[in-house]
Amino acid sequence: MDIHDIDTVLYDRAGDALVIIDQTLLPGEVRLLSLTDRDSIYEAIRSLRVRGAPAIGAAAAVGLAVLASRRAPASFEELREGVKEDSAFLASARPTAVNLFWALARMEKVLDRGYGSAEEAVESLRREAEAIIAEDIETCRRIGENGLALLRDGMGVLTHCNAGKLATVRYGTATAPMYLALERGMKLRIYADETRPLLQGARLTAYELSAAGADVTLQCDDMAASAMAEGLIDIVITGADRIAANGDAANKIGTLGLAVLAKHYGIPFYIAAPFSTIDLSTPDGSAIVVEQRDGSEVTDLWYARRMAPEGIKVRNPAFDVTDHSLITGIITEKGIARPDYKASLRTLSEE
Ligand code: MRU
């Protein structure tokens, strides 16, 4: 199965199920998972079977619609209570990507319209989840078009983690300009950071871009500086999990280091993200909760035997926050925001 023939998050109306590609098995195996109960939807988000900010949001929205339609409540009020509970539970799966909270809040808001029956309300939730999926596809395509203006034939483009099609429904955010470049016959040299400890760059970005026919080179995270020093990188584009009102951007651990390096080498550093990732209610990066994950992801995962002394203390923050002063621009579906971000993000958001 070619992953480019399937969307990352699907709503199977007939089977009343959330369908995702199990990303923990990639690149070795492309397996679809059909999820219908609360615990398995929560677990899929928590353990990164579906991951990447926009994909988490879309999966939570579809998950909430599926759970609502399987509840068979007696009244609209009973349904509403159930949806609130399910939403709070799914929201606790991961703390950093704001798209999760954005999508769940958008789904809950549908119920504010008030309904005469639970069935009508469920149908509205289904439609909202489908709208979130359709908008994500359109939004990412627009991010691609806006980002494409920054690219030229022959450029070296560095990306980190997976802000690709597998992190959204289709196209990705950071990768959207790369896919559009490919469609238009532009030749790019793409460098994908491996992205320790969960290897989203190696397992997902290198995989999806090479499957699409892109020229992609994989490197360990600690090789980014030498790639820049050797003049291989003309631009860095990463995604984001939450962007504060002042432009500070949380993204996969290691992104901050790249931004610092890019500044040193005079290389433009861009973040690509939809407005659903921009959280204007968070004033700056210090208010963003960074997910801390289990130390075994650093010491044991992927290794045939443990690669660290027993009992060693381990730091495993899943994200870091890049200060807005290090970001050249934020590529959104509405255009590219430039400093001063407080003003430019606000203006774009009102368009
Ligand atoms: O822990 P993950 O794999 O969910 O982290 C994903 C990232 O950090 C992505 O760069 C981000 O969500 C942008 S997705 C378009």
Side-chain angles (χ1 to χ4, degrees):
M1 200 188 317
D2 183 340
I3 49 147
H4 290 287
D5 293 338
I6 337 154
D7 287 338
T8 305
V9 177
L10 293 156
Y11 186 6
D12 170 12
R13 264 206 187 224
D16 217 351
L18 160 66
V19 177
I20 57 164
I21 302 168
D22 184 347
Q23 299 191 33
T24 62
L25 303 177
L26 294 174
E29 184 187 345
V30 182
R31 190 194 295 170
L32 295 181
L33 289 181
S34 191
L35 308 173
T36 55
D37 69 273
R38 199 163 90 158
D39 287 346
S40 54
I41 294 169
Y42 173 94
E43 192 277 337
I45 297 172
R46 176 79 208 137
S47 60
L48 278 62
R49 296 185 197 285
V50 58
R51 31 68 50 206
I56 293 172
V62 174
L64 204 61
V66 166
L67 296 177
S69 92
R70 287 177 170 264
R71 273 185 171 270
S75 66
F76 167 62
E77 280 315 319
E78 195 183 314
L79 174 85
R80 189 175 198 163
E81 279 315 299
V83 167
K84 266 193 189 153
E85 263 176 46
D86 290 339
S87 176
F89 182 67
L90 294 182
S92 66
R94 296 191 74 188
T96 306
V98 75
N99 303 61
L100 174 61
F101 312 105
W102 167 86
L104 291 170
R106 184 168 154 175
M107 292 294 284
E108 280 193 57
K109 200 156 179 252
V110 166
L111 300 183
D112 289 348
R113 293 176 205 155
Y115 293 89
S117 71
E119 289 72 31
E120 273 176 68
V122 166
E123 183 51 29
S124 281
L125 288 170
R126 290 193 188 111
R127 291 215 182 114
E128 194 70 6
E130 286 168 343
I132 287 173
I133 287 190
E135 284 168 29
D136 187 77
I137 296 170
E138 182 56 30
T139 295
C140 288
R141 178 99 199 162
R142 289 210 185 126
I143 289 173
E145 270 152 18
N146 293 332
L148 189 60
L150 302 168
L151 302 178
R152 300 282 173 272
D153 212 39
M155 266 187 166
V157 186
L158 174 61
T159 191
H160 190 70
C161 189
N162 175 264
K165 119 165 220 145
L166 288 163
T168 65
V169 178
R170 225 181 270 175
Y171 301 117
T173 58
T175 58
M178 305 177 206
Y179 282 122
L180 264 60
L182 202 63
E183 268 179 33
R184 289 167 203 191
M186 190 188 280
K187 290 198 170 23
L188 299 173
R189 292 171 292 105
I190 302 168
Y191 293 83
D193 276 351
E194 178 186 42
T195 318
R196 285 277 296 152
L198 293 182
L199 309 187
Q200 290 94 330
R203 295 187 301 108
L204 309 177
T205 304
Y207 169 63
E208 63 164 83
L209 287 172
S210 58
D215 171 354
V216 54
T217 302
L218 177 65
Q219 63 182 9
C220 299
D221 303 340
D222 47 13
M223 296 167 188
S226 76
M228 290 186 189
E230 285 173 31
L232 298 175
I233 310 298
D234 299 295
I235 187 170
V236 181
I237 311 179
T238 75
D241 286 80
R242 187 186 300 229
I243 300 174
N246 72 343
D248 292 351
N251 190 49
K252 181 53 54 191
I253 192 75
T255 305
L256 170 59
L258 287 185
V260 172
L261 285 172
K263 183 159 185 131
H264 178 80
Y265 286 104
I267 297 167
F269 178 92
Y270 284 88
I271 297 269
F275 259 82
S276 52
T277 301
I278 298 169
D279 180 9
L280 296 177
S281 69
T282 295
D284 60 53
S286 67
I288 299 176
V289 178
V290 170
E291 177 181 11
Q292 305 290 326
R293 294 187 65 89
D294 199 275
S296 62
E297 290 178 349
V298 177
T299 54
D300 294 70
L301 194 67
W302 317 120
Y303 298 128
R305 61 191 166 84
R306 186 180 165 92
M307 280 294 143
E310 289 297 340
I312 195 76
K313 290 191 281 181
V314 180
R315 277 186 76 237
N316 188 16
F319 302 96
D320 54 28
V321 178
T322 298
D323 192 86
H324 60 276
S325 62
L326 298 169
I327 301 170
T328 312
I330 300 174
I331 310 164
T332 76
E333 67 273 33
K334 297 182 178 197
I336 302 180
R338 306 264 179 195
D340 160 6
Y341 291 112
K342 247 185 220 160
S344 60
L345 290 176
R346 170 78 51 201
T347 307
L348 280 180
S349 78
E350 282 161 6
E351 270 174 24

